[in-house]
Amino acid sequence: MSKLRDLLTQTKDVVYTAEFPVIDGGGMDQVKKNVERLAPWFAAVNATDNTAAHAHASNVSVAIAMKQHGLEPIMQIVCRDKNRLAIQADMAGANLHGIENIALLTGDDVTAGDEPETRRVFDLDGPQAINVASILNAGTYLSGRKLNPAPNFFICAVENPFAPPHDYRIERAMKKHRAGAQMLQLQIGYHPDRLEKFCAGVAATVPELALIPSVVLVKSSKPLNFMNDKVPGISVPQDVIDRVAQSSDQAEAAYQLALEQCQHALALPGVRGLHITDFRHDETLERLMHDLGRTPNQYT
Amino acid sequence: MPKLLNLLLAVEHGMKKPVWDCTMCGQCVLHSTGMTCPMTCPKTLRNGPCGGVREDGHCEVKPEMRCIWVKAYDRKVSLPLPTVWKEHYNDLRPPVDMQLKGTSSWVNLVTKRDQQTPAGWAKRQEETHSH
Ligand code: SF4
């Protein structure tokens, strides 16, 4: 049973999600530690798929481990590393293990990672992968061959309202919704006007599509500069960077910025929750959740 | 017949390569994508831009190149293309059929081979278009 689906479709609760840290070392003990840290605050947490084009313990394996430890996964599948057979195998594997939340993403390019010499696959693109998940939900593989029992995936996707062509992003969100996406995590961004326009446009046409904007907790202006310079698709306006850089207490200024972003996003139409990227800043995360009116274990 | 096919193939490639950098995917969608070929996207995305488009509208993978989907959107908005083509801009295009690579999309258009999709895909399109 997907708690995420129930929360979004049957309640008005605000849904907080996060990203499960990648697993390279520490084994199951590390999985357990991460679960203990995240479970009190989040309804469901992303099990990533070779995030930022770096190899890690696989999406399916981490999703299963999270589930075993009592944290609901949103299993991501990206199109960069797997062809349509492998993508469907991930889906069927998730189904076998009772994993219902899956998120389909196009994925960063291989050039973003530490093995840029690898072959990029992109046999499917994001919207096609979403549609394939819908096909599996109807009880067959892409080929028409039967899959029994059929999955009951709660299908999620990601969109970037902040990247050009801005006007088209709303239509693209609707395309993903038509393909079967019911929840849309939005990428990190620092242009509130673009977010407002996007949410208003989506909510006006497909109000049932749950929007989950992302907010990242940082401790200084350095990561803001990094994102602006090095992460394609993220631009941080100079006045935002300056506001943090020129403050006598950078950590506090960065925190206030994040809190404002959260409050701004939560007030927008169509927004049903937030995705928090915390870079393991535990105290800041607790403070933020507290300031947003949350207490631990509200979803259990 | 094979001779004619080869001739068509040569003519199609000869025309499309210089103008659109055609890779002969054999299932041309140029008309619905603002006359911009999605196969020149480094990720070969056929359903719109990825999330990595840079602030200046350039490509995540090749910063020196304008994102082909930014180009396509601009052209769709500004070029005097037939309305039906523009209406198809946001269609969900099926996964590329790798068996058609290197064949003539003109022939595949006439024979409707380029509209064949896997059974599961076809069934879903039928169902989603019927309501
Ligand atoms: S930025 Fe545009 S051209 Fe480059 S990979 Fe993404 S969609 Fe393709």
Side-chain angles (χ1 to χ4, degrees), chain A residues 84 106-107 109 120 122 124-125 128 131 134 142-143 160 164 167-169 171-172 175 178-179 194 232-233 235, chain B residues 42-43 46-47 49-55 60-61 89-96 118-121 124-125:
Chain A
R84 62 195 82 174
T106 301
D109 187 57
R120 53 173 77 85
F122 299 109
L124 301 179
D125 59 29
Q128 290 165 350
N131 206 49
S134 297
L142 183 53
S143 67
N160 186 351
D167 289 343
Y168 179 59
R169 295 285 169 182
E171 288 173 57
R172 185 163 153 82
K175 181 190 272 203
R178 278 203 306 278
R194 293 179 193 169
S235 99
Chain B
K43 299 183 187 173
R46 282 168 90 93
N47 284 296
C50 72
V53 184
R54 292 166 193 269
E55 186 67 5
E60 168 190 343
V61 186
Y89 183 80
N90 205 32
D91 281 0
L92 178 65
R93 291 175 201 91
V96 172
W121 186 279
R124 163 128 179 115
Q125 288 320 96

Side-chain angles (χ1 to χ4, degrees), chain B residues 8 15-16 21 32 35 46-47 67 73 85 91 118-119:
Chain B
L8 268 174
M15 277 176 61
K16 285 183 175 176
D21 205 12
S32 70
M35 299 308 281
R46 282 168 90 93
N47 284 296
C67 165
Y73 191 70
W85 289 10
D91 281 0

Side-chain angles (χ1 to χ4, degrees), chain A residues 11 20 32 42 75 86 96 104 110 112 116 119 158 160 163 196 201 212 220 222 239 243-244 248 251 264 281 293 297:
Chain A
T11 75
F20 204 72
K32 213 167 148 230
F42 298 106
M75 193 186 93
L96 180 64
L104 294 316
V110 300
R119 178 195 289 263
V158 177
N160 186 351
E196 283 166 21
I212 310 286
S220 70
K222 224 170 111 189
D239 59 318
R243 174 180 154 184
V244 176
S248 53
H264 171 258
H281 299 155
N297 304 316

Side-chain angles (χ1 to χ4, degrees), chain B residues 93-127:
Chain B
R93 291 175 201 91
V96 172
D97 183 343
M98 294 307 291
Q99 300 174 106
L100 295 183
K101 174 114 182 115
T103 64
S104 166
S105 78
W106 292 346
V107 174
N108 298 334
L109 179 75
V110 174
T111 60
K112 297 207 158 81
R113 173 63 182 85
D114 66 347
Q115 285 168 37
Q116 269 177 35
T117 52
W121 186 279
K123 185 161 162 268
R124 163 128 179 115
Q125 288 320 96
E126 243 168 59
E127 284 165 6

Side-chain angles (χ1 to χ4, degrees), chain A residues 143-213:
Chain A
S143 67
R145 183 163 46 85
K146 280 211 161 45
L147 172 63
N148 188 16
N152 184 21
F153 290 136
F154 182 68
I155 304 173
C156 310
V158 177
E159 186 52 63
N160 186 351
F162 303 98
H166 304 115
D167 289 343
Y168 179 59
R169 295 285 169 182
I170 296 168
E171 288 173 57
R172 185 163 153 82
M174 291 186 315
K175 181 190 272 203
K176 288 179 177 173
H177 179 62
R178 278 203 306 278
Q182 291 167 278
M183 182 186 113
L184 208 56
Q185 183 189 319
L186 307 181
Q187 282 182 21
I188 296 161
Y190 291 86
H191 295 266
D193 51 322
R194 293 179 193 169
L195 184 64
E196 283 166 21
K197 214 173 150 201
F198 177 86
C199 294
V202 172
T205 5
V206 278
E208 66 278 21
L209 179 58
L211 302 176
I212 310 286

Side-chain angles (χ1 to χ4, degrees), chain B residues 30-51:
Chain B
L30 271 175
H31 63 282
S32 70
T33 54
M35 299 308 281
T36 308
C37 175
M39 302 313 277
T40 59
C41 156
K43 299 183 187 173
T44 60
L45 305 181
R46 282 168 90 93
N47 284 296
C50 72

